[in-house]
Structures are given as structure tokens and as C-alpha cells.
Amino acid sequence: MTTDTTDWPEQLRLPGQTAAHPGPVDMTMMYVMHHAFRRDLEAFATAAGTTPASDRRAWKAMAARWAIFSSALHHHHSGEDAGLWPALMDRADDEGRATLEAMEAEHSEIDPILEACAAGLQRLAEHPDDDARAALAVRLVAARERLAEHLKHEETEAIPLIQALLTQEEWERIEKEQFSEGLGLRDILPLVPWALHGVPATVRRGLFAQPGGGMHRVMWMLTRRRFARQDAAAFGRSA
């Protein structure tokens, strides 16, 4: 791989992000996804601690928002496990392989926590239950903290491996094959406003300027207000 750093892209840095390792691969979309995961779990944990168990409308809205979040996170982690980590594993040294094995193991640890949160949200969407609300609030805080640890580990140790071992062209191929392929219009429509909610306008404009970004801009314009209403219904906040 080239050691000429003059053509390296400037790496994105969003609130909550722990690192933005320099290198030849543009990690913008990865960091946008990480921002959305952190944003959502912070919002869920806060709302669960303040929303009365009797507010069925709010819990139904939260359960619907959770479905978007959990679908995006599952697809993201599945793409990493199926394509990204194996591509790096073939090239990494022993230390790098240990990091990649830890990434996959952490995914397995996070999944049961998220499943318990989903069950708690669904229960509260159906029945007022103060004990279930208290238990869910604890689980969501645990989910927020555990995912935060995982994202920090990924940003500080796994993403440097991407920068050291992959080219931009290889990264784009993995993105297409593992993170984009198989997603239809019905899958993408809710993900565009979800991923871009709260992202600075300059970042959005940069994403829309990329190849294929024009279609995402149209999706954003068509869906952002509806998503903002869903967000407000779930978390009691404006766009």
C-alpha cells in the first residue's frame, strides 16, 4: 500500500466518537453509523428513565423506533462479521487477529442485551408495568455502556487495521457487498433519515455529493420530517 499521505481523506469526527485514525480509506459512513447508534441508545436510556409506564403512546413510539435502530445495528454487525473482519483477518498479524476476534465476540455479547431491551419495550407498548419499566431502564443503560465500549474499541483498534490493510477500492467493494447489497428501497427509505438525523449539514452535503448521493438526498428530503415526528413521539424532543 502507498505511504504517500497527501491523498488521504480528512477523517470525519462526530460527537461521542473516540478516534478518527488517519489513512487512505474514507470512513465517513462508518462514523455516521456509529454516531446514530450512540445517539439512539442515549435517547432510549434517557426516555426509559423518565417516561411513565402508563404512557402507552410513547412506549409504542419507542418500540417502533427501536425496530429501526436494531435492524440497522444487526445489518451493520452482520456485514462486519461476514465480510469485513474476515478480509482483515487474512492480512493481520497475531495482535490484529486478536482484535478482530474480540470484535466478533463483542457482537455476540451485545446481542442478548439488545434482545432483552426489545422485549421490555414491546411489553410496555402493550401493558403498563412499573417493574418492567424499571428493569428496562437498567437494561438500556447497560446496552448504552456496552455498545459505547465496543464502538470505542472498534474506533481505536479495529479501524486502524482497516487503514493499514485495505485500500479505498477494497473498502468500497466490501461496503457494497456486505453493507449495501440486498437492501431494497423499503429497507433504505427508513435508514436514510435515521442515519443522518442530527448529523451536521456540511456532512450531509458531502455525502449527497458522492456517487449515488443524489438519490439519498431525495430520500432525505422526502422522509426527514416524518422521521423527526417519529423521533419526537418516542423521545419527546423536536428535530
Side-chain angles (χ1 to χ4, degrees):
M1 293 180 62
T2 180
T3 57
D4 181 7
T5 65
T6 57
D7 292 331
W8 285 4
E10 182 178 355
Q11 300 297 331
L12 182 64
R13 192 71 180 254
L14 291 169
Q17 192 175 317
T18 52
H21 198 79
V25 178
D26 183 355
M27 300 300 300
T28 295
M29 204 57 224
M30 178 73 84
Y31 292 138
V32 167
M33 296 296 287
H34 284 195
H35 172 265
F37 297 144
R38 287 183 169 109
R39 176 205 67 211
D40 270 15
L41 278 180
E42 180 63 35
F44 278 113
T46 299
T50 58
T51 303
S54 59
D55 190 346
R56 294 271 300 286
R57 184 176 180 180
W59 291 111
K60 286 181 179 179
M62 273 190 269
R65 271 290 273 109
W66 183 269
I68 300 173
F69 159 79
S70 61
S71 176
L73 183 60
H74 175 73
H75 184 77
H76 184 78
H77 281 177
S78 295
E80 290 177 337
D81 291 342
L84 179 55
W85 305 148
L88 296 170
M89 191 73 76
D90 291 341
R91 305 181 187 185
D93 58 17
D94 289 346
E95 183 178 355
R97 284 193 288 273
T99 294
L100 297 169
E101 288 169 357
M103 289 292 104
E104 193 165 357
E106 288 167 16
H107 288 176
S108 298
E109 294 169 5
I110 291 167
D111 287 346
I113 302 174
L114 300 181
E115 289 169 6
C117 292
L121 283 165
Q122 189 57 45
R123 178 171 180 81
L124 285 158
E126 296 170 356
H127 307 288
D129 186 330
D130 287 327
D131 290 339
R133 189 202 66 81
L136 176 61
V138 172
R139 290 189 184 107
L140 282 166
V141 169
R144 180 190 66 193
E145 298 306 312
R146 189 66 191 91
L147 188 63
E149 291 171 5
H150 171 68
L151 295 178
K152 178 180 180 180
H153 193 186
E154 187 171 317
E155 289 165 358
T156 57
E157 295 191 34
I159 287 178
L161 290 174
I162 294 172
Q163 297 292 14
L165 300 175
L166 295 181
T167 65
Q168 176 66 21
E169 291 75 19
E170 289 170 326
W171 170 250
E172 288 174 0
R173 185 177 69 250
I174 290 170
E175 271 197 314
K176 180 180 179 181
E177 293 176 353
Q178 301 300 330
F179 298 104
S180 300
E181 201 167 84
L183 290 178
L185 183 61
R186 290 184 64 181
D187 303 306
I188 297 171
L189 269 176
L191 288 179
V192 169
W194 171 81
L196 298 181
H197 189 67
V199 170
T202 53
V203 176
R204 290 199 304 270
R205 287 195 291 268
L207 290 170
F208 295 153
Q210 293 179 2
M215 180 59 71
H216 289 150
R217 182 181 182 277
V218 172
M219 292 180 183
W220 163 254
M221 296 300 293
L222 290 174
T223 60
R224 62 191 177 98
R225 289 187 177 85
R226 182 174 183 270
F227 179 84
R229 290 194 297 270
Q230 293 174 327
D231 197 69
F235 304 129
R237 66 188 184 191
S238 60

